Amino acid sequence: MDAGPNISIAIPRQWRRADRRAGLDQLLRHVAADLVNANDRRHLSNLLMDRLRQLAGMRGVGLKEITSARPPRSVQPIRARDYVAFAVPVKEEGRQVMLEASFDARHGPDDWTCQLIEAAASLAAVLVETERLACTPAPLTTAERDGAAPLIGSSEAMRLLRERVERVANTNFTVLIEGESGVGKELVARQIHELGPRRQGPFVAINCAALVETLIEAELFGIEERTATGVRGRRGKFEHADGGTLFLDEISDLSAAAQAKLLRVIQDLTVERVGGSGPRQINTRIVAATNRPLAGLVDRALFRTDLFYRLSGVEIRVPPLRVRKGDILELTQYFLSRHEGRGRLTMTAAAVDALIAYDWPGNVRELERMIEGAIATAESRQIRVDDLPVSLRGGYGEHLVPSCQVGDTMRAWGSRYARLVLEKNAGNKRQACRALDISYHTLNSYLRYRPAKTPPGTGHPRELVSSQN
């Protein structure tokens, strides 16, 4: 008996019981061989139905999934003159796979045929469950999770952020990411995509602030061919992201008209191209981001309330760099490592201290650009304070560098720094002591100290502090 792909076997009705059982086992082995040799492994249950129709001479055969609130029995047969059905439970609670077969009323199913259909139903349940698991992405390994989209930092704020992102990634809910410019909102969105079940689909990012008002519909929803003279049909961003994630950056910059159009798409998960004749169903996860709190914009009637509630079901707040300065060193090492083509790059301890002392209004993006600028202008593979921008050096550029240029001693520099801190605390010595973490007596000794030499033209040390503020 040939086990090739086009197997077709007539079933003799006159077999004895023992022969029928042996024949059933043989037929199932051939069906199993057919399935193993199949080129398309994604629809094995459909292939099984085709083979079953050929083997048993059925008029029709179908497979469907059903749900039931009651716990099912192992196999539930339904039999009539020209109809047989078997329902088999699968692993997921409450789900069953039902195999239905119809016959000619003059030649209904006999016992042997019912046994074959029962065995096929059990096999179909296994195949359906296998196909479902095959369509579910495998869990990420630790290495894959760490490399999905780098959210660098060991601070408590970053640890909590990563935990929240991992929990949110396993769902299909709409996500709203809030944070200042440059904190890495798109990195968070990419990691939500890479860690979630849609990671095999596309990730499409669009900057809402850059959209031209007259072209928003065509850009987001697409446009049909010949809608206007010289216009070529194309898909919109929502269709490009079908099966994946659409990242709407700076969504707070959308106009009121664009917000209304976006609301309808999010509600119905359908888009209608410009010039189109009907809606198109989409399967897209939406992740939105804004650098302005949407709740405040809603209060000022600058953002639609209904759209806000559609977006804000799951919110993620990305902390600014100034509240997690312990991550600056890790971020700096990461950015330096990306430019080590000609050798290892390092920074002096003073340069690192200057980075930590800075408030970073531009957050991580500003740090990255500053590192790139320092690498470009540095005279060696080691970045020094002098290689940093003047605006970033701050107190280092105003106080430390002049002290180094005139050869100040540690005692002289300590005196200058104590006077600077006292000036910043409005002359309150108690507050200055707390800021410096020194005693009142030690502060007075620093203030009484007069360096042997002062920078040219600066005069008295107290005048130096005043002039530098």
Side-chain angles (χ1 to χ4, degrees), residues 257-370:
Q259 292 175 29
K261 296 168 185 174
L262 181 62
L263 174 64
R264 185 183 183 93
V265 175
I266 296 176
Q267 285 176 333
D268 303 335
L269 284 181
T270 59
V271 296
E272 185 170 348
R273 293 182 181 179
V274 177
S277 57
R280 297 169 180 261
Q281 194 73 32
I282 56 171
N283 177 23
T284 303
R285 182 179 193 175
I286 298 172
V287 178
T290 175
N291 60 0
R292 296 185 291 171
L294 290 189
L297 298 180
V298 170
D299 293 338
R300 289 183 287 161
L302 298 177
F303 199 83
R304 290 182 65 105
T305 304
D306 45 7
L307 179 57
F308 170 69
Y309 288 122
R310 282 284 178 182
L311 296 172
S312 62
V314 179
E315 295 186 30
I316 294 179
R317 178 75 184 178
V318 185
L321 187 56
R322 64 178 175 274
V323 303
R324 54 183 187 100
K325 288 193 172 183
D327 297 332
I328 290 177
L329 182 58
E330 289 182 63
L331 288 165
T332 301
Q333 290 173 340
Y334 172 75
F335 293 136
L336 289 175
S337 66
R338 293 171 58 181
H339 300 280
E340 290 185 343
R342 294 179 298 162
R344 186 168 180 266
L345 290 165
T346 60
M347 296 188 77
T348 63
V352 172
D353 288 341
L355 299 185
I356 295 175
Y358 187 58
D359 278 340
W360 299 105
N363 292 291
V364 180
R365 184 185 296 126
E366 184 183 7
L367 173 62
E368 182 180 10
R369 297 295 173 262
M370 185 281 304

Side-chain angles (χ1 to χ4, degrees), residues 215-293:
L215 300 177
I216 283 181
E217 282 191 87
E219 195 71 26
L220 293 179
F221 313 136
I223 187 170
E224 291 289 0
E225 191 81 22
R226 301 185 183 91
T227 300
T229 304
V231 173
R232 299 181 59 184
R234 66 179 186 272
R235 295 184 299 163
K237 298 297 185 182
F238 275 91
E239 288 187 72
H240 278 293
D242 193 25
T245 303
L246 177 65
F247 176 57
L248 300 173
D249 196 13
E250 307 304 348
I251 195 170
S252 58
D253 292 331
L254 283 177
S255 65
Q259 292 175 29
K261 296 168 185 174
L262 181 62
L263 174 64
R264 185 183 183 93
V265 175
I266 296 176
Q267 285 176 333
D268 303 335
L269 284 181
T270 59
V271 296
E272 185 170 348
R273 293 182 181 179
V274 177
S277 57
R280 297 169 180 261
Q281 194 73 32
I282 56 171
N283 177 23
T284 303
R285 182 179 193 175
I286 298 172
V287 178
T290 175
N291 60 0
R292 296 185 291 171

Side-chain angles (χ1 to χ4, degrees), residues 415 418-419 422 429 442-450:
S415 175
R419 295 175 188 279
L422 182 63
K429 292 185 177 181
T442 303
L443 175 63
N444 281 328
S445 67
Y446 275 122
L447 297 177
R448 287 193 299 268
Y449 178 78
R450 295 292 182 267

Side-chain angles (χ1 to χ4, degrees), residues 19 65 131 203 255 261 334 381 383 419 426 428 441 458:
D19 292 338
E65 295 185 50
E131 292 170 6
F203 178 88
S255 65
K261 296 168 185 174
Y334 172 75
R381 304 300 291 172
I383 298 173
R419 295 175 188 279
N428 190 316
H441 173 76
T458 57

Side-chain angles (χ1 to χ4, degrees), residues 13-54:
R13 290 175 172 271
Q14 67 274 17
W15 282 357
R16 297 190 308 272
R17 184 183 299 273
D19 292 338
R20 289 181 178 181
R21 184 172 300 169
L24 176 63
D25 292 341
Q26 188 176 12
L27 290 175
L28 287 178
R29 282 198 298 271
H30 283 293
V31 171
D34 251 356
L35 296 175
V36 170
N37 295 327
N39 293 326
D40 189 358
R41 301 285 179 100
R42 295 172 297 176
H43 304 289
L44 295 180
S45 58
N46 294 338
L47 179 60
L48 174 63
M49 295 302 99
D50 292 339
R51 297 297 182 260
L52 186 61
R53 184 184 294 106
Q54 296 174 11

